[in-house]
Amino acid sequence: MNEFTFKTPDSANEAVRLNVAGPSRFLAGGTTLLDLMKCNVETPQQLVDISRLTTLREININSGTLRVGALVRMSELAAHPDCQRQAPAIYESLWQAASPQIRNMATIGGNLRQRTRCAYFRDPETFPACNKRHPGSGCSAIDGINNGHAILGASEACVAVYPGDLAVALTAFQAQVILRNAQQQERRVPVEKFYLLPRDTPDQEHDIADDEMIVAVEVPLTPALVQSHYLKVRDRASYEFAAASAAVGLEMQGETIKDVHIALGGVATIPWRAYEVEEALRGKTLNETLIRQAAERAVTNARALSHNHARIILVPRVISRALLSVGKLT
Ligand code: FAD
Ligand code: SF4
């Protein structure tokens, strides 16, 4: 690990001011950043410890919107009764992530900025070629062992999967990231747009400037979110990232699907909204055949690498199972 200075600001404004000065990173729960520093993927010269900023640790519901401060712990949000009752997909995405110990440390802001688990990315000494670490150096995964890599949203430069769970649920239900800069100006970015496709710049992952900090996340408590579900399929039942996941929500009018929201995790380079599937379902009568046919649309433009074709088969099944469950057809 490289040497670094350690700053402990008293306010969010001071934190942002300190962070712009030099190669610097915010330290929240540290569960991602310190790992990446130990394997020399991240080498900041300064850490700005924001973990004590209690003003960013509130959970509120106002005018039908759930607002969660950036420093709320994953376990705190998962334990919140309103989250469990009114946003089941968000609750389920949280408690199925990582381990209880990690969820007790990890924050919502840090979770949104977690980086890929691509094994080549995390091992710079053995695999120097990684366009995400060193633009222009190549990609060790494209011709490597890529069974855990993306079938959607990949580019010639990078095929790494976005690994998180919460952002998938937030993408499905049109949440916004609230950013604040040193001039105290706030900017709102839909979570869906916060994640950048790799294209030919996979090193740029998030729509956030150096002088901005995540202060909160807001999600509208819509009827589809109230009737929602997050299904996570993985190689073992706990403490594992998704092989494929789906956040789904339905708003019904009698037997008719009035509104539907679907996003996918574990299979794309960013949290992936399945618009084609939503369009095939909206306004139709809910039934199992319709769901299974519509779910196939999610992989129409999917592209398999040498070792990950199984994910193309898995995705429609995960979507179908999640929708059958939330539509009470199982
Ligand atoms: P930190 O490590 O403190 O920070 C992470 C990054 O975010 C840093 O770059 C930091 O500078 C930046 N950052 C932090 N806060 C802010 C802010 N307010 N504004 C701007 N930038 C900020 N996640 C899942 O979703 N699902 C899983 O199944 C899962 N399994 C895991 C298993 C293991 C073994 C581990 C180690 C992690 C796992 N995770 C999983 C990831 C975990 O959820 C993240 O490590 C955690 O959420 C990061 O939060 P943190 O507060 O510790 O962030
Ligand atoms: Fe690096 Fe992306 Fe290739 Fe992984 S998939 S080695 S992160 S460029």
Side-chain angles (χ1 to χ4, degrees):
M1 201 190 269
N2 64 308
E3 285 195 8
F4 53 86
T5 56
F6 193 76
K7 298 281 165 57
T8 52
D10 292 325
S11 68
N13 288 339
E14 190 189 350
V16 178
R17 271 200 309 276
L18 287 168
N19 199 51
V20 265
S24 180
R25 290 281 183 275
F26 294 123
L27 179 71
T31 61
T32 280
L33 182 59
L34 297 181
D35 270 2
L36 292 172
M37 287 171 67
K38 285 181 204 163
C39 61
N40 285 324
V41 170
E42 296 265 12
T43 52
Q45 289 175 16
Q46 173 180 270
L47 291 188
V48 177
D49 179 10
I50 56 175
S51 63
R52 296 175 184 83
L53 303 181
T54 49
T55 52
L56 302 183
R57 228 173 146 172
E58 291 173 358
I59 303 173
N60 298 305
I61 292 190
N62 216 336
S63 312
T65 297
L66 173 67
R67 184 180 167 105
V68 183
L71 290 173
V72 169
R73 310 278 168 172
M74 290 170 73
S75 54
E76 287 169 347
L77 181 56
H80 199 278
D82 287 320
C83 180
Q84 294 184 8
R85 222 177 8 246
Q86 301 196 58
I90 292 177
Y91 157 67
E92 290 167 331
S93 75
L94 287 163
W95 79 254
Q96 293 180 79
S99 65
Q101 292 87 344
I102 290 172
R103 296 195 296 269
N104 283 340
M105 281 304 291
T107 64
I108 299 304
N111 185 283
L112 295 184
R113 294 206 69 196
Q114 67 178 282
R115 305 193 69 191
T116 183
R117 311 304 290 194
C118 171
Y120 301 102
F121 169 77
R122 289 181 174 250
D123 189 353
E125 272 155 44
T126 318
F127 301 103
C130 172
N131 290 319
K132 200 180 267 301
R133 272 190 276 108
H134 292 298
S137 63
C139 171
S140 300
I142 286 183
D143 295 318
I145 298 170
N146 48 40
N147 57 310
H149 287 73
I151 56 166
L152 291 163
S155 72
E156 294 301 314
C158 180
V159 293
V161 154
Y162 171 76
D165 294 297
L166 172 65
V168 177
L170 294 175
T171 293
F173 297 100
Q174 289 157 317
Q176 295 194 325
V177 181
I178 321 288
L179 303 163
R180 193 183 299 159
N181 68 13
Q183 287 74 47
Q184 298 198 48
Q185 292 158 333
E186 281 199 359
R187 187 166 74 90
R188 288 169 172 265
V189 182
V191 171
E192 189 179 0
K193 297 222 161 81
F194 184 67
Y195 294 94
L196 306 177
L197 283 165
R199 296 200 168 94
D200 52 4
T201 52
D203 54 312
Q204 292 165 30
E205 296 175 335
H206 306 121
D207 179 1
I208 184 169
D210 287 345
D211 72 337
E212 286 179 321
M213 173 178 170
I214 301 172
V215 290
V217 174
E218 284 187 6
V219 57
L221 296 170
T222 56
L225 180 54
V226 174
Q227 193 177 343
S228 68
H229 177 40
Y230 183 76
L231 176 65
K232 179 173 179 178
V233 174
R234 43 189 163 168
D235 290 350
R236 59 180 178 212
S238 80
Y239 202 24
E240 183 58 285
F241 290 91
S245 69
V248 306
L250 285 175
E251 181 182 356
M252 299 298 296
Q253 201 162 45
E255 299 291 294
T256 305
I257 302 167
K258 186 175 173 201
D259 197 12
V260 53
H261 293 248
I262 304 168
L264 304 173
V267 291
T269 52
I270 57 173
W272 194 263
R273 187 88 182 261
Y275 284 111
E276 317 83 349
V277 186
E278 294 179 4
E279 275 161 28
L281 293 169
R282 202 168 282 118
K284 306 271 174 51
T285 304
L286 183 71
N287 65 73
E288 181 169 351
T289 307
L290 173 77
I291 286 174
R292 291 201 183 276
Q293 283 171 354
E296 292 293 334
R297 288 185 169 213
V299 288
T300 308
N301 297 316
R303 221 179 96 196
L305 300 161
S306 43
H307 299 109
N308 67 356
H309 188 263
R311 288 179 183 224
I312 295 190
I313 299 167
L314 193 55
V315 164
R317 295 181 186 183
V318 171
I319 296 174
S320 299
R321 235 177 81 190
L323 283 168
L324 289 169
S325 162
V326 83
K328 301 186 174 48
L329 294 176
T330 54

